[in-house]
Each structure stands twice: as structure tokens, then as C-alpha cells.
């Protein structure tokens, strides 16, 4: 990690998190529904049998409507469980009553499928704070999703859920960072590089 990248990442994280905290619950809910509609309309999600997603917390782009819609469409939905070493185990979405509070304010499934379960997903939806024009994603700094994305087979549709003003930013990149193929926002799905339509 270079001396310049760490402060640059920290500054960008602070900027995005400050802007997110200013959003109203009403706006967050409307944006979550719009983002879910766009994702559900993509050919990758329509065709997918298994989708890896996550339970949003705080001011993150919401995933409740998306998780319900994926389940209603008959998709198997995998959700992460944060391990003590920062890696991600995966469990199965069985509705909000089958989730348990976890450290760092997270909510997680109670079952455990192992860290490699993410490799079985046809679509992988990840949280983030920003994404560059080339698909380089800025996360919260723990590296959990970079490790998970390293297990995902090349060509799998990977997509970060963001606010409209969080796409196309100058994201500092380190060697361990993993790119995504797309970003979903309330306005639609933006694809990067050679991501198929």
C-alpha cells in the first residue's frame, strides 16, 4: 500500500459516508426499490439460479426489497457472514426472521456454507462506497469483499450497489483490489470494460 493511496482512500470514504448520512429514509427507500428493479431486469439476474447478495445496514443502498424479490423469483440467495479474520463465510437467505445480529452492526444468516460458497453464485452483488470508470470498487477498507471476489470465477456477473453520485469516481487502487463488471444505482446499471449486455 503506497503512502499516497491510503490517505486518498480514507478521504474518499469520508466524503461518501458524509453524503450518505445526509440522505433521508424516504429517499433511501425509493432508491432501493429503483435499484432493485434495474437489477432484476438484467439478463444475468433473470437467468441466475444463485445470487450472492448482502443485507444492507445504516445508510448503505438498501437491499430488503431486492432480497425479497430474488426469493420470490425462486432464486437461491447467499448472504455473507463476517469471520473473525475478516474473510466472508456464506449462508442462505431464508427471510428476515432467519437473520441474527453480528459484530460491527451487521445482520447475518445463521447457517454456514463456507468461504468458497460464493464461487457457486451466478451473480455476485457487493456493497461499496464508490467505483471508478474501469470498475475498481472502493469498500470500507477491510478487504473482505476483495477476498470473496478473488474466489468468484472469471466472467461471473459482479455488481456493486451504489448511489448515483458514487459511480465514475477516481478510486485509488492497490494490488489486492478487485474490479467489478457493473454498478447498479437508482438510475440503472452501468457496465464496465467488456461486461456483456
Amino acid at each position: 500500500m503506497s503512502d499516497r493511496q491510503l490517505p486518498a482512500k480514507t478521504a474518499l470514504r469520508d466524503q461518501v459516508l458524509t453524503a450518505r448520512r445526509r440522505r433521508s429514509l424516504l429517499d433511501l427507500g425509493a432508491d432501493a426499490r429503483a435499484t432493485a428493479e434495474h437489477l432484476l431486469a438484467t439478463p444475468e439476474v433473470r437467468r441466475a439460479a444463485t445470487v450472492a447478495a448482502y443485507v444492507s445496514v445504516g445508510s448503505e443502498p438498501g437491499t430488503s426489497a431486492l432480497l425479497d424479490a430474488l426469493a420470490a423469483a425462486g432464486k437461491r440467495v447467499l448472504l455473507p457472514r463476517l469471520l473473525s479474520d475478516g474473510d466472508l463465510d456464506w449462508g442462505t437467505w431464508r427471510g428476515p426472521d432467519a437473520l441474527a445480529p453480528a459484530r460491527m452492526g451487521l445482520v447475518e444468516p445463521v447457517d454456514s456454507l463456507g468461504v468458497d460458497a460464493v464461487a457457486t453464485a451466478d451473480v455476485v452483488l457487493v456493497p461499496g462506497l464508490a467505483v471508478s470508470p474501469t470498475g475498481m470498487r472502493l469498500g470500507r477498507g477491510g478487504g473482505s469483499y476483495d477476498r470473496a471476489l478473488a474466489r468468484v470465477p472469471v466472467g461471473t456477473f459482479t455488481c456493486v450497489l451504489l448511489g448515483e453520485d458514487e459511480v465514475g469516481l477516481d478510486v485509488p487502487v492497490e494490488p489486492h483490489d478487485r474490479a467489478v463488471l457493473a454498478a447498479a444505482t437508482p438510475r440503472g446499471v452501468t457496465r464496465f470494460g467488456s461486461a456483456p449486455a
Side-chain angles (χ1 to χ4, degrees):
M1 166 175 355
S2 82
D3 291 335
R4 292 184 187 171
Q5 287 180 334
L6 182 58
K9 280 188 170 184
T10 300
L12 184 55
R13 282 187 189 106
D14 289 346
Q15 175 188 338
V16 172
L17 289 169
T18 297
R20 282 185 175 183
R21 284 190 288 271
R22 292 184 182 129
R23 306 224 26 165
S24 73
L25 288 177
L26 189 63
D27 288 342
L28 287 172
D31 287 352
R33 289 185 294 279
T35 300
E37 286 178 25
H38 292 301
L39 275 169
L40 293 166
T42 64
E44 294 88 355
V45 173
R46 284 197 319 263
R47 288 191 304 256
T50 301
V51 176
Y54 63 97
V55 178
S56 59
V57 294
S59 61
E60 286 183 325
T63 59
S64 295
L66 176 62
L67 294 174
D68 289 340
L70 289 169
K75 312 290 183 193
R76 177 179 181 238
V77 180
L78 304 180
L79 298 176
R81 296 167 35 97
L82 184 63
L83 299 173
S84 60
D85 65 357
D87 208 343
L88 296 176
D89 183 4
W90 296 85
T92 310
W93 167 251
R94 301 191 193 290
D97 295 336
L99 298 173
R103 61 193 179 99
M104 298 177 63
L106 300 174
V107 182
E108 301 175 338
V110 294
D111 64 328
S112 171
L113 302 173
V115 296
D116 292 323
V118 70
T120 67
D122 305 301
V123 167
V124 179
L125 306 176
V126 299
L129 296 173
V131 70
S132 76
T134 60
M136 295 309 299
R137 173 190 149 276
L138 177 70
R140 297 239 179 197
S144 300
Y145 277 94
D146 290 314
R147 286 188 240 178
L149 288 169
R151 295 182 179 103
V152 174
V154 173
T156 301
F157 184 68
T158 56
C159 183
V160 59
L161 279 59
L162 296 171
E164 295 169 10
D165 56 348
E166 298 166 357
V167 176
L169 302 182
D170 184 17
V171 173
V173 177
E174 297 175 76
H176 68 271
D177 291 333
R178 300 288 174 165
V180 292
L181 294 180
T185 73
R187 284 199 183 156
V189 175
T190 301
R191 295 170 186 272
F192 307 110
S194 60

